[in-house]
Amino acid sequence: QVQLVESGGGLAQAGGSLRLSCAASGGTFGNYAMAWFRQAPGKKREFVTSINWSGGDASYAESVKGRFTISRDNAKNTVYLQMNSLKPEDTAVYFCAARWTYSRSPDYDYWGQGTQVTVSS
């Protein structure tokens, strides 16, 4: 039902910034909690941040607190990830994910294809 497309990845220097976008289609965006995950080479996919249906509540992995900010614009069907003070360990493929807000499952139902973020030292 929901399709997600990430964009905005690329190369940044340590200490720099990038902004990722995730455009959603095929559903009522306001009915979904959204999240960002990332996966570095040789590692399992890990949680980065999430935001509830209205944008009024967000959670962050400890490793990105104070540096990354998730936001959403329901009128534009888009969720954003502002990444500041980037570190080489932030290098990964970043995935956008969506979960129906009425679901009783903690699993995310829809996933984008990912966008590469590379941070040089």
Side-chain angles (χ1 to χ4, degrees):
Q1 182 181 358
V2 176
Q3 293 79 48
L4 305 173
V5 180
E6 303 97 335
S7 63
L11 178 65
Q13 292 185 323
S17 298
L18 286 172
R19 186 183 69 176
L20 307 184
S21 298
C22 174
S25 62
T28 302
F29 190 61
N31 286 341
Y32 292 86
M34 304 295 297
W36 290 94
F37 291 75
R38 67 187 182 186
Q39 187 169 24
K43 296 186 177 181
K44 297 180 65 176
R45 187 174 299 178
E46 66 174 343
F47 170 83
V48 177
T49 180
S50 64
I51 191 166
N52 76 336
W53 66 272
S54 69
D57 188 36
S59 298
Y60 296 90
E62 187 66 29
S63 60
V64 306
K65 285 182 179 178
R67 300 188 299 119
F68 290 11
T69 303
I70 188 171
S71 62
R72 67 190 296 162
D73 187 338
N74 286 358
K76 296 182 178 180
N77 290 356
T78 303
V79 63
Y80 304 95
L81 180 62
Q82 179 67 46
M83 305 185 294
N84 298 326
S85 301
L86 284 163
K87 303 176 180 180
E89 53 261 44
D90 295 320
T91 296
V93 177
Y94 283 71
F95 297 90
C96 180
R99 180 179 64 82
W100 191 40
T101 193
Y102 305 112
S103 176
R104 294 179 176 87
S105 171
D107 297 332
Y108 284 83
D109 305 295
Y110 306 99
W111 295 83
Q113 293 301 118
T115 184
Q116 177 71 46
V117 171
T118 302
V119 183
S120 62
S121 59

